Amino acid sequence: MEPITRIHGRAYPLGLKNVDTDAIIPAEYLKTIKRTGLGRHAFEAIRSDPANLFDDPEYKGAPIVIAGDNFGCGSSREHAAWALLDLGVTTVIAPSFSDIFSGNAFKNGIVTVVLDQAAIDRLMEVAQEHPITVDLETMTVTSPLQDRFAFELDPFRRECLMQGLDEIALTLTSEAAISAYETKTRSLG
């Protein structure tokens, strides 16, 4: 996982409420265990409309999605996080997230930012023409139009994201202690 301290760029102004994991990545693509290639199928139902924002050249490569309440609801598929990452999305801003999606997003290096609906409405407007910045050091979402919205993030998750530590990398930070314990345990047995 790559360290994340600041995400800057255009944002997909999705705004939809109750975007479930099946809308993020349809079930027919869950047979793979590869984390790559899913981005082309992300939001497939939305992308069936030729005028969709995910295929609009103006938003191409946008690292941020702005969504409505309850983003990531539905099944617990980790493929939803994989599809977002493969699409290039590293941050989702919404008023609320499904707990399971939020956990899967974190484990895969996606920042989930909770802001109130008024902030979401403003960012939806700003995203039409301007980039947005999410800064984990200052815990703010800003725009070049002087918008500044503070957000909270679990301190442990924030530190892991900023250091690029997934579960394996986090475990490896204690490798010396683990080895010492294993050596001690073997000598006792």
Side-chain angles (χ1 to χ4, degrees):
M1 192 164 88
E2 294 296 317
I4 300 171
T5 54
R6 187 173 185 263
I7 302 94
H8 175 78
R10 295 300 301 269
Y12 295 107
L14 182 61
L16 298 175
K17 294 180 181 184
N18 301 312
V19 174
D20 67 20
T21 54
D22 196 47
I24 298 169
I25 186 71
E28 64 195 78
Y29 303 108
L30 302 183
K31 297 173 186 152
T32 185
I33 57 170
K34 293 181 183 177
R35 295 177 183 222
T36 58
L38 293 171
R40 69 178 170 266
H41 304 293
F43 301 103
E44 194 169 77
I46 293 170
R47 291 168 106 173
S48 67
D49 176 354
N52 78 83
L53 64 101
F54 291 102
D55 293 324
D56 183 332
E58 190 152 335
Y59 298 105
K60 184 174 177 68
I64 302 167
V65 170
I66 303 169
D69 275 323
N70 203 24
F71 187 86
C73 59
S75 68
S76 62
R77 62 184 71 156
E78 190 170 20
H79 291 68
W82 298 351
L84 287 171
L85 283 172
D86 199 49
L87 185 63
V89 172
T90 55
T91 304
V92 181
I93 304 171
S96 65
F97 295 90
S98 152
D99 287 341
I100 293 172
F101 173 81
S102 184
N104 284 337
F106 161 67
K107 290 176 185 178
N108 285 281
I110 297 174
V111 181
T112 54
V113 175
V114 174
L115 292 177
D116 65 30
Q117 190 61 52
I120 295 297
D121 293 343
R122 174 60 183 159
L123 291 173
M124 289 284 294
E125 182 182 319
V126 169
Q128 301 293 325
E129 296 182 22
H130 302 282
I132 291 171
T133 302
V134 177
D135 191 320
L136 292 182
E137 289 181 348
T138 62
M139 303 288 286
T140 57
V141 177
T142 58
S143 82
L145 303 177
Q146 305 308 311
D147 297 292
R148 184 178 185 85
F149 304 104
F151 65 91
E152 294 180 12
L153 195 60
D154 175 81
F156 173 76
R157 286 186 173 188
R158 176 178 176 246
E159 193 62 30
C160 287
L161 288 165
M162 290 178 68
Q163 291 187 32
L165 299 174
D166 61 14
E167 291 173 332
I168 294 170
L170 186 61
T171 301
L172 290 175
T173 63
S174 300
E175 186 174 17
I178 293 167
S179 292
Y181 175 80
E182 288 177 349
T183 300
K184 181 180 175 183
T185 302
R186 273 182 277 193
S187 70
L188 296 175

